[in-house]
Amino acid sequence: MAIAAPGQLNVSESPSWGSRSVDCFEKLEQIGEGTYGQVYMAREIRTGEIVALKKIRMDNEREGFPITAIREIKILKKLHHENVIKLKEIVTSPGPEKDEQGRPGKLYLIDIIDGNKYKGGIYMVFEYMDHDLTGLADRPGMRFSVPQIKCYMRQLLTGLHYCHVNQVLHRDIKGSNLLIDNEGNLKLADFGLARSFSSDHNGNLTNRVITLWYRPPELLLGSTKYGPAVDMWSVGCIFAELLHGKPIFPGKDEPEQLNKIFELCGAPDEVIWPGVSKIPWYNNFKPTRPLKRRLREVFRHFDRHALELLEKMLTLDPSQRISAKDALDAEYFWADPLPCDPKSLPKYESSHEFQTKKKRQQQRQHDDNAKRQKIQHQQQHARLPPIQQSGQGHAQMRPGPNPAMHGSQAQVVAGPSHHYAKPRGAAAGPNRYPQGGNPSGGYNHPSRGQGGGGYVSGPYPPQGRAPPYGSSGMPGPGPRGGNNSGYGVNAPNYPQGGPYGGPGAGRGSNMGGNRNQQYGWQQ
Ligand SMILES: Nc1ncnc2c1ncn2[C@@H]1O[C@H](COP(=O)(O)OP(=O)(O)OP(=O)(O)O)[C@@H](O)[C@H]1O
């Protein structure tokens, strides 16, 4: 976790910012568990207004206030748009000195960075949104209509266009960061990885941003000079996911992620992507055989205009990728059926990824218990011999429903004729995404052996910082670095099955790593 430099943030700039206590709010329930800490639905006691409280994780007191939180606060303070989440204020829990009237003192940055003298909790107060897109899509039986998809996509692009015009890259576009309210409004949230950019900025940016499944090829190939096109790739992934019903690039680690991208979008070369061979890790990951673009073939069932737009979003060369502004002008949004009015959308019971995940875990636990009980029951019965003809051996006896009627005779109850059904593993689940022709890869990978997918060996690209993948051949820590070192383990974890179910690792709790550890010092 990196610390903020003095003066980077003056949270007391607005009169009320940082001066109120979290006690002004009543926490109602937890709705999110992020890298920062918990997110709660809460009610402001005085007004009754429902808000979301995001607690800034300060576990590592020695290291101070997380830079991601500072970035998020700074950036959100300057963004004001109906498709960008509104940060209302910052509140604190006991810690700062009280003033003469006994009110908590104002929160000054120096309090929290100076050896982290500030011992209280810090919360960001946001307008409350009923859902995030992942939570909503994961509702059992959920199906989005075409006008609804157009409506969400248009809002996503409008919000992103606003960010880009204001020289902000979001760098973490994914379903759980797209919040939706019951009025059908969609807002971009979680600006913890966002940063300002300028077209004349010549410095290097970290390429370890954006959740793996939504990360564009230029970042996976090691580019450190990039712009708004990185967000547009993620938007393309979301768009395809909405149309397709599940994530299209559920890679377990970076090589597999690139593999999946190249299998669908073709392998890049100097013709389709001038300059690609100069990108740091291109030689390590270039496919060993030509791969044709198959997007149109794989998604031939998509609407013509949708496919046209998707093609432009999932363009390998970032300089040719469509911008948010141009995407909004695409025929897709102007052809029938038109995007619906957000207000006309159905209202759903609140659904956040955290909650749907929790419910699914509970359901899984319940199913496991039921399965275990059934197996125990079957095992008990299995100890009995097979069904016996009357008079043979040990038929299972129990009194009849009305023993008086049947006298001393007991009913013969058939023992189980079968014992264990074949378990329905994850592999049995639907996988509607057509498999690529080269499941094992066919890419050059510096350290992977067999099974990892045909990567040729070679040194890691010389880098000023740690190589992208660990020397063991395991992927290195990803932006969602949890307790595990692998990108794969910390890859976005969509659940198996369900409308968005995919073959990748589940969107598990290992998501909740501390991204500041990876990013704190980086640009
Ligand atoms: N304003 C809000 N209204 C309702 N729910 C919210 C709000 N902000 C966040 N959430 C919920 O909390 C979750 C986590 O929030 P957020 O992404 O901002 O935290 P984070 O710590 O950055 O998480 P992550 O590590 O997943 O990026 C969101 O996916 C969403 O479900």
Side-chain angles (χ1 to χ4, degrees):
M1 201 183 283
I3 59 166
Q8 268 193 307
L9 173 76
N10 179 4
V11 286
S12 66
E13 209 170 77
S14 317
S16 63
W17 278 51
S19 66
R20 293 213 298 166
S21 158
V22 72
D23 295 342
C24 298
F25 298 88
E26 176 194 0
K27 283 183 192 164
L28 299 176
E29 66 172 309
Q30 189 178 347
I31 50 174
E33 175 82 61
T35 314
Y36 281 141
Q38 295 85 14
V39 183
Y40 300 92
M41 177 188 189
R43 182 187 295 116
E44 185 178 0
I45 292 164
R46 193 173 54 83
T47 61
E49 190 190 355
I50 299 294
V51 297
L53 287 180
K54 181 162 158 176
K55 184 167 195 221
I56 297 172
R57 184 175 271 161
M58 303 268 288
D59 337 353
N60 195 341
E61 288 185 7
R62 264 182 330 122
E63 299 204 0
F65 199 73
I67 192 88
T68 50
I70 291 175
R71 282 219 174 123
E72 181 160 27
I73 295 167
K74 259 183 96 169
I75 285 175
L76 283 175
K77 278 189 83 173
K78 76 172 192 184
L79 297 179
H80 303 283
H81 188 270
E82 58 190 14
N83 298 119
V84 174
I85 195 71
K86 183 173 173 194
L87 176 61
K88 295 162 74 74
E89 65 174 301
I90 308 287
V91 293
T92 59
S93 62
E97 301 289 307
K98 306 247 169 159
D99 65 14
E100 313 82 66
Q101 278 89 42
R103 292 176 309 206
K106 276 189 183 169
L107 175 65
Y108 290 97
L109 185 64
I110 198 70
D111 294 334
I112 49 186
I113 59 165
D114 185 12
N116 200 7
K117 280 190 216 142
Y118 183 73
K119 294 287 184 260
I122 298 171
Y123 296 79
M124 294 159 84
V125 185
F126 290 98
E127 59 180 322
Y128 174 77
M129 302 291 282
D130 304 275
H131 323 278
D132 61 57
L133 187 61
T134 303
L136 195 57
D138 273 354
R139 291 173 67 87
M142 187 70 199
R143 278 273 170 276
F144 294 129
S145 68
V146 174
Q148 186 170 13
I149 292 177
K150 289 191 181 188
C151 170
Y152 291 150
M153 283 302 298
R154 195 167 61 176
Q155 294 186 70
L156 163 57
L157 286 164
T158 307
L160 196 59
H161 173 52
Y162 172 81
C163 294
H164 291 170
V165 165
N166 283 283
Q167 305 199 302
V168 169
L169 303 178
H170 185 283
R171 305 200 300 183
D172 200 13
I173 300 285
K174 59 175 175 175
S176 59
N177 288 340
L178 305 179
L179 304 182
I180 295 171
D181 65 16
N182 264 337
E183 301 301 306
N185 300 308
L186 180 147
K187 303 191 188 217
L188 292 175
D190 191 2
F191 282 71
L193 290 181
R195 66 156 292 142
S196 297
F197 72 96
S198 61
S199 35
D200 55 356
H201 175 83
N202 231 359
N204 289 336
L205 305 175
T206 175
N207 48 46
R208 293 187 174 188
V209 280
I210 306 188
T211 299
L212 191 63
W213 294 2
Y214 304 89
R215 199 178 303 167
E218 63 270 28
L219 296 189
L220 291 161
L221 288 172
S223 189
T224 54
K225 298 205 190 301
Y226 56 83
V230 295
D231 288 334
M232 288 307 294
W233 179 271
S234 315
V235 171
C237 298
I238 296 277
F239 183 31
E241 190 168 322
L242 284 170
L243 296 168
H244 184 53
K246 60 182 182 174
I248 59 163
F249 297 130
K252 283 200 292 291
D253 50 37
E254 288 184 313
E256 190 184 288
Q257 190 65 31
L258 271 173
N259 185 3
K260 285 186 185 299
I261 291 173
F262 293 165
E263 279 181 351
L264 189 71
C265 300
D269 57 28
E270 280 292 326
V271 177
I272 64 150
W273 182 351
V276 67
S277 59
K278 306 265 173 356
I279 302 184
W281 306 324
Y282 172 74
N283 283 324
N284 301 72
F285 294 109
K286 68 174 181 229
T288 50
R289 61 185 179 81
L291 287 167
K292 282 219 309 265
R293 190 168 174 89
R294 299 175 57 229
L295 197 88
R296 279 188 179 271
E297 180 195 328
V298 170
F299 296 133
R300 59 186 171 277
H301 54 291
F302 286 3
D303 160 275
R304 179 167 59 92
H305 297 304
L307 194 51
E308 220 166 75
L309 178 56
L310 186 62
E311 277 274 17
K312 292 176 181 168
M313 290 173 169
L314 296 183
T315 294
L316 289 173
D317 179 354
S319 70
Q320 297 177 51
R321 203 171 294 149
I322 196 166
S323 66
K325 180 173 182 289
D326 289 347
L328 284 164
D329 282 337
E331 196 55 31
Y332 177 69
F333 294 109
W334 304 95
D336 278 335
L338 292 171
C340 62
D341 173 4
K343 293 199 173 32
S344 71
L345 287 169
K347 298 193 187 324
Y348 308 97
E349 199 188 304
S350 129
S351 35
H352 296 94
E353 187 198 23
F354 174 77
Q355 294 162 316
T356 45
K357 206 161 69 183
K358 204 159 119 186
K359 271 189 207 149
R360 224 180 359 254
Q361 263 165 8
Q362 282 166 349
Q363 183 62 39
R364 217 175 294 141
Q365 215 160 11
H366 176 268
D367 291 350
D368 284 353
N369 286 346
K371 229 182 273 171
R372 212 169 301 130
Q373 276 174 5
K374 197 171 160 196
I375 289 171
Q376 273 170 3
H377 179 77
Q378 286 172 334
Q379 278 172 336
Q380 281 163 6
H381 286 248
R383 284 185 214 109
L384 298 167
I387 307 169
Q388 304 291 325
Q389 297 291 327
S390 122
Q392 278 185 349
H394 321 273
Q396 188 182 353
M397 309 294 275
R398 76 168 189 216
N402 184 347
M405 241 173 75
H406 295 275
S408 60
Q409 272 203 332
Q411 273 184 305
V412 176
V413 179
S417 58
H418 64 279
H419 300 293
Y420 305 114
K422 210 173 171 188
R424 259 195 275 158
N431 183 359
R432 283 168 287 138
Y433 181 54
Q435 291 296 313
N438 178 16
S440 65
Y443 296 96
N444 304 319
H445 181 271
S447 58
R448 279 193 169 222
Q450 74 291 7
Y455 298 95
V456 297
S457 58
Y460 289 121
Q463 288 295 312
R465 58 176 81 114
Y469 312 109
S471 55
S472 62
M474 290 300 290
R480 302 285 150 167
N483 40 12
N484 218 306
S485 64
Y487 267 100
V489 185
N490 299 309
N493 292 319
Y494 265 87
Q496 308 265 332
Y500 270 63
R507 207 182 268 231
S509 54
N510 48 11
M511 287 281 288
N514 184 349
R515 64 183 162 199
N516 300 302
Q517 280 166 359
Q518 276 91 41
Y519 296 119
W521 56 272
Q522 290 175 329
Q523 299 223 46

